[in-house]
Amino acid sequence: MTEQHDQASWHLETSLVHAGDRTAPPVATPTVTPIYTSTTYLYPTLDELDAAFVSGEGYFYTRYGNPTVAAFEQALAQAEAARGAVAYSSGMAALHAALLAASTPRGETAPRPTSILAARDLYGSTTVLLEELFAARGAQVNYVDLCDAEATAAALQAYAPVVVLAESISNPLLHVLDLAKLVEQCRSYGARLVIDATLATPVLQRPLTLGVDLVVHSATKYLGGHGDAAGGIVAARTGLLHVTLVQQSRLLGATLGPYEAQQLQRGMKTLALRMERQCANAAQVAAYLTTHPAVAHVYYPGLAEHPGHTLAAAAFGGRFGGLVSFELAASTALPRFVDALRLFLPATTLGDLYSLVSVPALASHRELTPEQRAERGISAGLVRLSLGIEAIDDLLADLQQALACLEAA
């Protein structure tokens, strides 16, 4: 490029457009990955641009790759021990991409109608995605309790699915999967296993090391952790699945922006520290709630009475996640309880460094029918708490005063 040599002869209008751009990068390496906002990238000659397209290396157009986004993908791939990862503009976009890649015939890149066996207790929007974007277009979608090994084996034999989809810790009832057993079952029937690991994060479990094929994260949640950036990411166990994700991502175009990528990668730097505090806070909140007369039932894998406690203790290294769900004894008291909280924020998300409260029937599972919610065990009185990193004494005091309002009413 010869702009520098020609700049002296440029008119003012031309200088205002081009001056300062396309300067050489610094010789020193920046400590933090810069935010690359350019949508396109230049090569010295047309032949070099053509060679870059042929090799597939380098950057051309932001839908085909961005250095800031690539840094986030590399960070997650390393955290998950993956062959590669691909980032998307939201967690739902990432889940959609994972299902398409998993249902793509091995060695090919075009998605095809397929059969999916899904966990019965999925996040509400995931169920809607399966019904409206897969089943409605000819895919066979069936549901089963994947925590039940016998029922899973029977469903695998009956439906012969191409893809099995589940959450490592379910939202919001916090069922825990035996991933090692499920991997063994899926392999015996030739099904690819896709796991949404948003709630566990790689801090608690790395599913690819157990043989899971694709791991999905809503990066908006724990990975980012600050409530300021939306995104999703899929990590692949094999090179074939990673290539499939890359190729399909370029066509689908649900690209993560560089600003969001930088914020999500920055959030990952403190993920382990945040999860330690969030898990510790959740354990103490769950223990407190079990003692309160206004609470009918508490769902938390860290409690000895939880059906997945022993499995979770072995799988997660003695930590049990940052979510606690519980049933109020009187469901009609739920609005008073939520409105009385002062420190827990009523937000329809989870995984932030702030503590949050949500009502699944009105938020995460609102799109399901009352019958579907009942089938999944989601009652009108179910409350979900996402623990943040605040001092535990302040969190317990907030819960205590909100529950006291119910006793006084």
Side-chain angles (χ1 to χ4, degrees):
M1 307 291 288
T2 59
E3 304 100 315
Q4 201 74 26
H5 178 72
D6 296 335
Q7 282 183 10
S9 63
W10 286 352
H11 289 80
L12 174 61
E13 296 88 341
T14 302
S15 294
L16 290 174
V17 173
H18 290 276
D21 284 338
R22 295 175 290 281
T23 57
V27 176
T29 302
T31 303
V32 177
T33 302
I35 300 176
Y36 292 90
T37 61
S38 182
T39 59
T40 52
Y41 301 86
L42 307 177
Y43 288 81
T45 68
L46 191 59
D47 285 343
E48 289 173 271
L49 173 61
D50 182 58
F53 268 111
V54 171
S55 68
E57 299 176 357
Y59 298 98
F60 326 103
Y61 180 64
T62 194
R63 180 163 54 83
Y64 278 60
N66 173 284
T68 310
V69 176
F72 172 50
E73 292 171 337
Q74 291 164 11
L76 192 278
Q78 184 167 343
E80 287 287 10
R83 286 292 298 274
V86 178
Y88 301 86
S89 55
S90 70
M92 289 304 297
L95 182 62
H96 182 214
L99 291 171
L100 288 180
S103 62
T104 298
R106 289 160 175 79
E108 301 178 27
T109 56
R112 60 181 173 90
T114 188
S115 57
I116 300 172
L117 180 64
R120 185 172 290 142
D121 52 348
L122 293 169
Y123 168 53
S125 292
T126 301
T127 300
V128 176
L129 174 73
L130 291 173
E131 295 297 331
E132 295 190 2
L133 289 186
F134 285 90
R137 287 161 175 77
Q140 181 186 12
V141 178
N142 296 286
Y143 300 92
V144 70
D145 179 4
L146 289 173
C147 292
D148 184 332
E150 291 186 5
T152 300
L156 285 167
Q157 184 172 18
Y159 302 124
V162 174
V163 181
V164 174
L165 171 65
E167 298 164 355
S168 52
I169 303 175
S170 72
N171 176 12
L173 296 180
L174 309 180
H175 298 143
V176 179
L177 275 182
D178 185 343
L179 282 187
K181 176 64 176 178
L182 187 56
V183 165
E184 177 185 337
Q185 290 180 304
C186 289
R187 285 187 176 175
S188 67
Y189 286 93
R192 281 173 168 158
L193 179 57
V194 177
I195 292 295
D196 184 335
T198 297
L199 302 192
T201 82
V203 174
L204 299 190
Q205 189 178 51
R206 304 166 89 188
L208 298 183
T209 65
L210 301 175
V212 169
D213 294 292
L214 291 168
V215 169
V216 182
H217 291 277
S218 174
T220 313
K221 312 302 192 297
Y222 287 103
L223 298 188
H226 290 71
D228 56 7
I233 193 162
V234 184
R237 183 175 59 86
T238 67
L240 173 61
L241 280 171
H242 180 234
V243 169
T244 303
L245 285 168
V246 170
Q247 292 176 339
Q248 291 181 353
S249 173
R250 293 173 176 178
L251 296 174
L252 294 172
T255 309
L256 183 67
Y259 290 103
E260 290 80 6
Q262 194 274 341
Q263 288 178 299
L264 295 173
Q265 188 190 3
R266 181 183 62 183
M268 282 187 62
K269 296 178 187 300
T270 60
L271 174 62
L273 298 174
R274 286 184 283 108
M275 282 297 291
E276 287 292 341
R277 172 63 74 89
Q278 288 167 307
C279 289
N281 282 349
Q284 293 192 62
V285 164
Y288 166 71
L289 291 172
T290 61
T291 67
H292 203 284
V295 176
H297 187 78
V298 180
Y299 302 90
Y300 184 65
L303 298 174
E305 59 268 28
H306 188 282
H309 174 71
T310 301
L311 176 61
F316 304 150
R319 296 159 296 186
F320 300 94
L323 288 191
V324 178
S325 294
F326 63 98
E327 304 266 1
L328 287 172
S331 62
T332 55
L334 187 148
R336 293 201 307 276
F337 168 74
V338 173
D339 292 344
L341 290 168
R342 293 294 175 261
L343 187 54
F344 285 84
L345 306 177
T348 56
T349 188
L350 59 89
D352 286 352
L353 75 173
Y354 315 103
S355 288
L356 311 169
V357 58
S358 178
V359 179
L362 300 179
S364 62
H365 290 69
R366 186 185 188 95
E367 296 172 286
L368 301 186
T369 65
E371 293 75 21
Q372 288 176 313
R373 288 195 293 270
E375 182 185 13
R376 289 158 173 76
I378 299 170
S379 71
L382 182 68
V383 180
R384 187 190 73 191
L385 300 179
S386 173
L387 278 301
I389 63 172
E390 303 95 339
I392 186 60
D393 289 345
D394 294 330
L395 295 172
L396 292 176
D398 193 35
L399 290 170
Q400 184 177 25
Q401 65 83 22
L403 289 167
C405 291
L406 306 186
E407 296 175 326

